[in-house]
Amino acid sequence: MSVLLQISDTHFGTEQPHVVAALLALAARQRPQLVVLSGDITQRAWPAQFRAAKAFIDRLGAPFLAIPGNHDIPLFDLWTRLTRPYAHYAKVFGTDLEPAYSSPDLLVLGVNTTRASRHKNGEVCMAQIDRIAQRLSAASPQQLRVVVVHQPMAVTAACDRRDLLRGHTAALRAWSAAGVDLVLGGHIHLPFTQAQQGLARRLWVVQAGTAVSSRTRPGVPNSVHILRWGEASGTHADESQTGAEAASCCLIEQWDFARQDRSFVRTAVTSVQPERG
């Protein structure tokens, strides 16, 4: 079984040390094969905030895939924003802004949806859409096919519609036809898993909350997602499923920070069955 830990919107510079410690403890228990950071890793893209983020990632002790969020581009340093927007980010995470991870069980593709010309809103262009679709089409049937963006591809609250990723409709259509299973995102600090219907193939948008920042939405705790894919994931599947059906399920677990216990606890499990063939 492969275990993927999705962490988003850490906003280092606003992190809460006790929540950071709890997340490190969760990662040590779960031992993910891959950690995905879906943007807004820092609060203001300052070098010290990137160094703090790197120290945290090093302590997770797992391979990671990271993409930038709008907060990872300098806001007040206009010269750097216009001439070298990813300079500080690249010192920690490298110059590849659209990294990929591939294993026998997983194909995870990062997409840079930030634009230096935009303050908050993200965008995905046709060149990006086509490039990701080609990679998805070449995936093996055994691989869970995951695309990672920062701004959301779908929302559940009307107030969040203004934050939808520009180009999301075309991307959903193309990536669905190419075989994507999950699209992971962040940005709005509201965790949910939502099936997308009316496409060539059904897919799920998985939105993460803010992992360790004090910038939580009212009534929404810090949270992360754990994805389980492979034969052992069937242990949490519906008992009415056959062994083959259970093995093909992906479990999407939401883990929220419980202040009374000072730890992350599993609060929801969504079992999804990617379409094949």
Side-chain angles (χ1 to χ4, degrees):
M1 178 183 65
S2 291
V3 179
L4 183 154
L5 171 61
Q6 183 197 9
I7 297 173
S8 196
D9 296 80
T10 48
H11 288 281
F12 273 91
T14 66
E15 75 275 18
Q16 304 170 89
H18 60 293
V19 184
V20 171
L23 183 50
L24 289 170
L26 176 66
R29 293 195 307 271
Q30 299 295 328
R31 302 177 64 183
Q33 278 70 53
L34 180 68
V35 176
V36 168
L37 293 95
S38 45
D40 277 2
I41 299 167
T42 65
Q43 174 63 10
R44 284 290 172 245
W46 294 343
Q49 294 172 354
F50 278 115
R51 289 195 296 270
K54 181 60 163 59
F56 164 74
I57 292 166
D58 288 344
R59 293 182 66 189
L60 289 172
F64 69 89
L65 180 150
I67 61 166
N70 53 290
H71 276 260
D72 298 319
I73 301 175
L75 178 61
F76 301 114
D77 183 353
L78 295 180
W79 178 251
T80 300
R81 183 180 182 89
L82 294 175
T83 61
R84 299 182 302 135
Y86 302 103
H88 298 323
Y89 178 93
K91 287 181 179 179
V92 171
F93 298 106
T95 57
D96 187 358
L97 303 179
E98 298 192 319
Y101 173 90
S102 182
S103 72
D105 289 338
L106 295 173
L107 176 64
V108 185
L109 305 173
V111 183
N112 176 23
T113 58
T114 62
R115 301 292 187 267
S117 60
R118 296 183 181 274
H119 177 206
K120 290 179 58 179
N121 296 119
E123 179 182 357
V124 59
C125 67
M126 285 308 304
Q128 291 174 304
I129 292 172
D130 291 343
R131 184 169 60 251
I132 294 298
Q134 290 175 7
R135 293 291 303 273
L136 291 168
S137 297
S140 74
Q142 292 75 31
Q143 287 178 308
L144 182 71
R145 304 156 196 175
V146 181
V147 174
V148 185
V149 297
H150 178 57
Q151 287 87 357
M153 299 281 278
V155 296
T156 58
C159 63
D160 293 323
R161 290 193 60 81
R162 63 181 182 273
D163 290 312
L164 278 168
L165 181 67
R166 272 48 173 178
H168 70 279
T169 300
L172 286 173
R173 289 174 179 166
W175 296 346
S176 169
V180 74
D181 299 315
L182 310 175
V183 181
L184 310 187
H187 189 64
I188 56 175
H189 298 194
L190 182 66
F192 63 83
T193 298
Q194 184 185 76
Q196 302 298 298
Q197 309 287 355
L199 300 168
R201 298 188 186 196
R202 185 172 52 176
L203 62 88
W204 288 264
V205 167
V206 182
Q207 281 292 125
T210 174
V212 298
S213 173
S214 60
R215 301 178 71 245
T216 55
R217 289 170 71 134
V220 181
N222 294 100
S223 67
V224 298
H225 282 123
I226 293 177
L227 279 57
R228 305 185 194 274
W229 170 253
E231 293 186 3
S233 66
T235 57
H236 292 284
D238 190 315
E239 292 182 358
S240 65
Q241 293 176 313
T242 67
E245 289 172 334
S248 64
C249 285
C250 175
L251 296 182
I252 304 168
E253 302 176 357
Q254 180 177 324
W255 290 70
D256 293 345
F257 180 72
R259 293 195 174 276
Q260 64 275 19
D261 299 326
R262 298 178 74 86
S263 66
F264 279 85
V265 297
R266 186 172 60 193
T267 57
V269 181
T270 303
S271 176
V272 305
Q273 190 164 357
E275 297 182 7
R276 292 292 182 266

